[in-house]
Amino acid sequence: MDMNAYFKKALAELHDAGNYRVFADLERHCGGFPRATRHREDGTTHEVTVWCSNDYLGMGQSPIVTDAMKATIDKCGAGAGGTRNISGTNHYHVLLEQELADLHGKESALIFTSGYVSNWASLGTLGSRIPGCIIYSDALNHASMIEGIRHSRAEKRLWKHNSPEDLDRLLSQDDPDRPKLVAFESVYSMDGDVAPIAEICDVAEKHGAMTYLDEVHGVGLYGPRGGGIAEREGLMDRVTVIEGTLGKAFGVMGGYITASADLCDFVRSFSSGFIFSTAIPPAIAAGAAASIRHLKDSQMERMRHQQRVAQVRARLDAAGVPHMPNPSHIVPVMVGDAVKCKWISDLLLDNYGIYVQPINYPTVPEGTERLRLTPTPLHTDADIEYLVNALNDLWSQCALSRAIA
């Protein structure tokens, strides 16, 4: 078999369907977020405004974070030196885990190299190591959760998205004495909808099930101290495991879980994804801890963030550009056609200096292709007007349907 020919054919099919992913070569400006320099393949550059970053609050550019990282590099050097089991835990890892446990009101925390790894490793370990465990997974859970559950080889039940009623039905059908774990997210990243956490906890508690909540799109952004949707709703104490990321609202990189001391120690002791992974560098840990400490006390970033989101939605409504309604900060502008979605994204970048990636199948179902906008506190009124005017122009050029105000 000619493998290169096979690769070319598969890639050509992606191109034809409008699903081929192109990486924009961007150079972010320190202190200038959301501005960046785009490097084209022909060697030229131009300035762009980023509208799809998961650095939701711009903390990746904050001197609060960068100064902490610089000071730690000067003190500790660049890398962690290896895994925490072999090379030793750096003191900044300990300090970060203390901040995270405090943020979520838990006894302990455990950090990983990414949010993907924290889900994969934790769910994989819990599902495989707890004898007879059944995992109940929301139908729209992230790929990292799905992979962790699959890796665990535990029995899995898929419940209808955000449906406590369907979860209750499935839990009622299984042996009440078997260990059970309900896995779901707080904010779902593509549609921006929010889970009914209290109702899900009610059902889980009724059946004696543990709960595992992915808060990666909630931490830093919601709650009086940035603990996420569960903190905002006063529910953190009812959730067994809260998982989060350091790479979105906190502006750095890494993932984590928070839970009881015994559960975290259990995952630390049995998870291959933790045991055999090089630890995040001390400077990353220090930057994340500084970001968390700041956002525990400061409301300004969250308040302005929500104001910017509301303003973008209002301007899109006024222009008749359709976007999916939801109660979160994620603004999915609905195109509904993969080729047009990619074309609009290309024109925004090339002709308008606006960077927003198209979201196509398999990330979202066919026919629901979209541009996923993520306004930040640092987008200005002028940025919003320019974006909406550009989308308005392209909607007319593509003859796409308008939303009725």
Side-chain angles (χ1 to χ4, degrees):
M1 182 176 181
D2 185 342
M3 293 307 301
N4 275 334
Y6 170 77
F7 298 147
K8 287 180 183 297
K9 180 175 181 294
L11 292 170
E13 290 172 354
L14 280 180
H15 278 286
D16 292 342
N19 292 330
Y20 182 77
R21 300 168 191 249
V22 177
F23 290 166
D25 184 351
L26 302 181
E27 183 179 348
R28 302 207 323 167
H29 299 168
C30 185
F33 185 80
R35 315 297 171 211
T37 298
R38 179 199 180 194
H39 294 260
R40 296 187 180 95
E41 291 183 0
D42 62 6
T44 61
T45 64
H46 71 119
E47 301 306 296
V48 300
T49 299
V50 178
W51 272 100
C52 55
S53 175
N54 283 343
D55 186 358
Y56 292 129
L57 301 177
M59 292 301 293
Q61 303 289 317
S62 170
I64 293 166
V65 175
T66 57
D67 288 352
M69 294 178 69
K70 291 173 187 175
T72 308
I73 285 180
D74 290 341
K75 188 174 184 179
C76 298
T83 68
R84 290 172 69 177
N85 291 280
I86 292 175
S87 303
T89 287
N90 188 280
H91 184 55
Y92 289 95
H93 297 142
V94 176
L95 295 177
L96 174 56
E97 287 173 342
Q98 290 173 351
E99 288 289 347
L100 289 164
D102 174 76
L103 175 67
H104 293 293
K106 300 296 184 185
E107 290 180 344
S108 189
L110 190 66
I111 53 175
F112 297 82
T113 52
S114 72
Y116 192 103
V117 173
S118 58
N119 271 334
W120 175 83
S122 300
L123 286 167
T125 301
L126 293 170
S128 64
R129 287 281 177 171
I130 298 173
C133 184
I134 304 172
I135 300 179
Y136 301 79
S137 179
D138 184 283
L140 293 188
N141 274 344
H142 189 265
S144 58
M145 302 175 78
I146 295 169
E147 286 298 321
I149 295 166
R150 180 181 296 139
H151 177 71
S152 77
R153 298 185 179 178
E155 285 188 46
K156 182 184 79 170
R157 310 282 187 260
L158 204 64
W159 46 287
K160 294 177 183 177
H161 176 55
N162 276 351
S163 172
E165 296 79 14
D166 195 51
L167 174 63
D168 186 43
R169 178 184 65 83
L170 291 173
L171 282 162
S172 299
Q173 293 174 355
D174 285 316
D175 183 347
D177 294 327
R178 286 184 64 177
K180 301 173 179 66
L181 177 62
V182 175
F184 62 108
E185 302 181 39
S186 61
V187 179
Y188 287 82
S189 63
M190 289 299 116
D191 290 352
D193 54 336
V194 175
I197 300 175
E199 290 83 353
I200 291 169
C201 287
D202 288 343
V203 172
E205 290 164 3
K206 171 184 172 183
H207 295 278
M210 298 179 291
T211 44
Y212 183 105
L213 175 62
D214 177 320
E215 280 265 34
V216 297
H217 294 278
V219 292
L221 302 174
Y222 301 97
R225 300 199 309 157
I229 299 292
E231 185 196 24
R232 185 187 72 181
E233 304 298 325
L235 299 168
M236 291 194 297
D237 61 314
R238 296 181 63 187
V239 179
T240 310
V241 181
I242 296 177
E243 184 267 350
T245 183
L246 307 170
K248 292 183 171 60
F250 294 131
V252 194
M253 69 167 291
Y256 64 88
I257 60 169
T258 61
S260 69
D262 287 338
L263 190 150
C264 288
D265 198 16
F266 182 86
V267 174
R268 182 191 70 86
S269 299
F270 291 107
S271 170
S272 62
F274 176 84
I275 293 169
F276 297 106
S277 287
T278 297
I280 63 174
I284 296 291
S291 183
I292 293 164
R293 281 193 297 270
H294 173 75
L295 291 173
K296 282 178 179 177
D297 294 329
S298 175
Q299 301 300 321
M300 182 272 291
E301 291 85 358
R302 283 188 285 275
M303 291 174 61
R304 181 164 171 82
H305 180 236
Q306 290 298 319
Q307 187 273 329
R308 297 283 90 181
V309 171
Q311 186 171 341
V312 168
R313 290 187 186 279
R315 289 296 298 117
L316 290 171
D317 286 339
V321 175
H323 59 95
M324 184 180 293
N326 63 54
S328 77
H329 58 283
I330 294 165
V331 184
V333 173
M334 306 307 293
V335 179
D337 179 279
V339 174
K340 288 184 177 180
C341 194
K342 176 68 168 61
W343 184 72
I344 290 172
S345 174
D346 289 344
L347 286 178
L348 285 171
L349 185 58
D350 292 334
N351 296 352
Y352 295 88
I354 293 171
Y355 174 57
V356 53
Q357 275 284 59
I359 307 295
N360 291 342
Y361 178 84
T363 306
V364 295
E366 292 180 343
T368 69
E369 293 82 4
R370 67 199 64 178
L371 303 170
R372 179 181 177 272
L373 301 179
T374 54
T376 75
L378 301 175
H379 285 99
T380 66
D381 291 346
D383 291 333
I384 294 172
E385 286 301 308
Y386 186 68
L387 168 72
V388 174
N389 288 337
L391 288 171
N392 186 51
D393 291 346
L394 293 175
W395 238 251
S396 296
Q397 291 181 39
C398 287
L400 289 167
S401 62
R402 299 275 181 169
I404 300 174

